[in-house]
Amino acid sequence: MDYTLALTRHAYETLTEHLLSDCSREQMAVTLCGVNRLHQEVRLLVRDVILLPPDAFNRQSSAALEVKPEVQALIHRRAAEHSLIQVDWHSHTDDHAAVHFSAVDDHYEAAQAAYLAHRMDGVPYGSVVVNARSLDARLWLTRITRKTETRHDEISYHPDAMPLAAVFTGDLQRRIPVSAQQGPRAPTPYVSPIFDRQVRAFGQEFQRQVGALRVGVVGVGAIGGAMVEYLARLGVREWVLVDPDAVEISNLNRLVNASTTDAQKQRPKVNVARSTIHQCAPRAYVRALHTDVFNPEAQHALKSCDLLIAATDNHSSRMALNRLAVQYLIPLVHLGFNINAAVEPTTQEHVITDVSGEFAIPDLGRWCLQCAGIVDPQQAGWELASPAQRAVLRQRGYVADTPAPAVHHLDGLIAALATTEIHNMVHTFKPRHRYLVYDALKPELVPLQVTPNATCPVCSPDYGVLGLGDLEPLPDYRRSAKVQLPPSTLPELPLAEQKKEPLALPGEDGKVQAVMPLPDGFPLPQAKHFPDPQARARRLHVAMAESPVD
C-alpha cells in the first residue's frame, strides 16, 4: 500500500511561505485532511490549513518547538468533530540537500500518533518536515492491541511510521519526499522514439511525466475527441473515458476517427475515442465507460485520475465533474465552443453573431467552475428533470433541445489551446492562463480573472466539500431533481407572461408541489455546514481499512 498527500497549489504556496519565512527558528503549521482510497494507494487530501503564529508556542527556537496545550486541544477538537486526519508540518533551519526527521521529531510524533489513535479510535496521524531545498513526509499508523486480564483490559498503542511516496502540490506538480527517494527505485520508464521531436525541445523527464498521467475525459464528442487525440500524441498513456452517446450521422463532420459505418452501427463514442488512442499508442490503457458522469462506476474510476477534462455541452455533467474535482483535489479543465447565427428578416440569410470558445482551469481552493459562472445549478436541475417535466420547461422556453451548430476546426482550435496549457502545467515554458476566451469575430484571445468566492457551496473550505474525498458521498443529482420536481400528470398550463416569473409544476394530485424561483437557482444538494461526525468517522475507517485486494 502506498500513502500519498495532495493539496492545492494555493495551500502549498501558503504553507511554504509560512514555514520558510523566518529561517532563524523552526515554524509550524497544521493541515486537516480528507482521504481518497484508491487501489493500492491511500491519498490524504488537505482541506484545512492552520498556520501557527509565535504566540501559539510555549517554546520556539532553531532546534525545537513546543505547542501550547490549549492550541493543540483546539486542533484535536476540530479534527475529531469533522473526522479529518491531522498532518503536522514544521521546518528545520538547516540548508541540507536532504532534510530528515530528528530524534526529537520521532519521539514527539510517536506519542502524538498514539494519543490521536486513542482519541479518534485508530485514526492515523501524519507529519511533514521541510527546509528550503527538500521535504520529507510520513504517515503514522497505530496498531491497537487489547489484553484481557481478570480485573481490567490493558490497551496498548504501537505507532509505526510509513513514508509517503509523493506529495502532490497542485497543477500536476509533485515532490518526492527524501525517504521515498532513498527506498527501492522503480526502473526508469522507457521513452519511445515516437516522441523524439518533443524530447528535443522539452526533455525526457517531461515525456516521462506526461506518460505517467492518468487522464479522465467526460464527453468524447467533437471537442473531447480532439482533446483525446492531442493528449495521446503528446504522450498520455492511461485513460478513463466517459460518454453515454453513440455516433450519429450528423457527428461525422467533427468527430475524430468516426466513420459512416460507426454511425450506421451506432458505435459508442468512447469506443471511437479508444481507437484513436490505440492508433497513437497501441499499449495504452483505456477504460471506456459507455455511461454518464452520474454513474457511480464512472465516478469511482474518475476519482483515480490525475487530471479531469470536462468536454460536455450541458451544465448538469459539468456540475457533477466540478464537484468531484473539488472534493478529490483533482485538476480540472473545462472547454467549450459556441456558434450563434441569426436569420436576417428581409433576405432570410444566416448572419453569424457569435463564434467563441473558452477553456478554464479552476484554481482549486480559490475558485471553481460554479464560482466562475460556467456551471449554472438552476439550468443543471432543469436538464435533469424527467422527460414530462422537461416538456413543460421547453414549453416555457427555459430549456432548448435544438442541436447547437458545430464545426470541427473551431472545436480543434480550443482543444489545441487547452492541450497547450496542460503541457505548460507539466513543463512551464510560457505564462500561464487559467481562463482564456477566444473570439473569432474580433479576433482576439482574452484572459479572464475569477474573483474567489469565500462562501461557495462547492469549493469553500468552510462551506463546501474541498478535500473531503471519501468522507462525503457524492450527490445523486438525478434523484435530487426528482425530489425537487415530483412526477406530474402535466395538464395544460397557461404560458407565463414573463420568463422571470416563478415556475410552478403540478404534482400527481393536481396541486402545486414544487416551485422553482428563478433568481435563487435550482436547489440541488450542497455541502452541509454541520457534518454528521459518526457517518464521516465510519467512512474514514472504511477508507483506511486494508481490503483483500490490497
Side-chain angles (χ1 to χ4, degrees), residues 379 390 393-394 397-403:
Q379 188 67 37
R390 281 183 63 83
L393 295 168
R394 189 164 50 250
Y398 296 115
V399 297
D401 294 329
T402 305

Side-chain angles (χ1 to χ4, degrees), residues 216-276:
V217 184
V218 177
V220 290
I223 201 165
M227 282 292 295
V228 165
E229 180 182 15
Y230 292 154
L231 289 174
R233 296 192 184 280
L234 192 64
V236 174
R237 290 297 175 263
E238 288 197 46
W239 298 84
V240 175
L241 308 178
V242 178
D243 195 313
D245 295 336
V247 179
E248 299 176 358
I249 195 68
S250 62
N251 300 148
L252 300 184
N253 75 314
R254 63 195 185 280
L255 188 58
V256 174
N257 206 34
S259 67
T260 305
T261 302
D262 293 329
Q264 292 171 344
K265 295 184 176 180
Q266 296 184 324
R267 188 183 182 197
K269 290 182 180 179
V270 289
N271 292 358
V272 174
R274 178 172 57 192
S275 297
T276 300

Side-chain angles (χ1 to χ4, degrees), residues 350-382:
H350 285 260
V351 178
I352 302 298
T353 59
D354 177 44
V355 180
S356 62
E358 65 181 18
F359 74 79
I361 305 174
D363 192 0
L364 297 182
R366 303 191 72 238
W367 60 272
C368 68
L369 295 185
Q370 188 160 321
C371 297
I374 295 171
V375 168
D376 183 346
Q378 183 181 69
Q379 188 67 37
W382 291 342

Side-chain angles (χ1 to χ4, degrees), residues 103-152:
V104 174
D105 296 336
D106 295 341
H107 177 76
Y108 167 79
E109 291 176 9
Q112 179 84 311
Y115 173 76
L116 289 174
H118 167 71
R119 179 184 175 93
M120 297 179 65
D121 192 22
V123 168
Y125 161 71
S127 58
V128 181
V129 59
V130 305
N131 67 9
R133 300 174 65 185
S134 60
L135 63 77
D136 205 2
R138 58 191 178 185
L139 183 69
W140 290 85
L141 303 177
T142 301
R143 181 170 49 89
I144 303 174
T145 60
R146 290 175 171 84
K147 184 177 180 180
T148 303
E149 302 289 348
T150 55
R151 295 184 179 180
H152 64 276

Side-chain angles (χ1 to χ4, degrees), residues 27-88:
Q27 307 293 331
M28 184 174 175
V30 178
T31 54
L32 302 181
C33 306
V35 62
N36 181 11
R37 175 59 183 268
L38 304 168
H39 180 63
Q40 294 291 358
E41 180 186 347
V42 172
R43 184 172 298 182
L44 305 185
L45 310 172
V46 171
R47 174 172 172 82
D48 294 339
V49 176
I50 305 169
L51 307 179
L52 299 188
D55 60 3
F57 305 101
N58 282 329
R59 181 163 60 99
Q60 183 182 22
S61 69
S62 62
L65 292 169
E66 182 184 341
V67 182
K68 291 179 178 179
E70 59 269 27
V71 174
Q72 197 69 273
L74 286 172
I75 295 171
H76 291 166
R77 185 180 308 132
R78 179 169 177 83
E81 288 175 350
H82 295 265
S83 295
L84 299 172
I85 297 173
Q86 180 174 334
V87 177
D88 289 347

Side-chain angles (χ1 to χ4, degrees), residues 386 389 482 485-489 506-508 513:
S386 67
Q389 298 277 348
K482 291 178 181 178
L485 300 175
S488 172
T489 54
E508 293 179 345
Q513 297 196 9

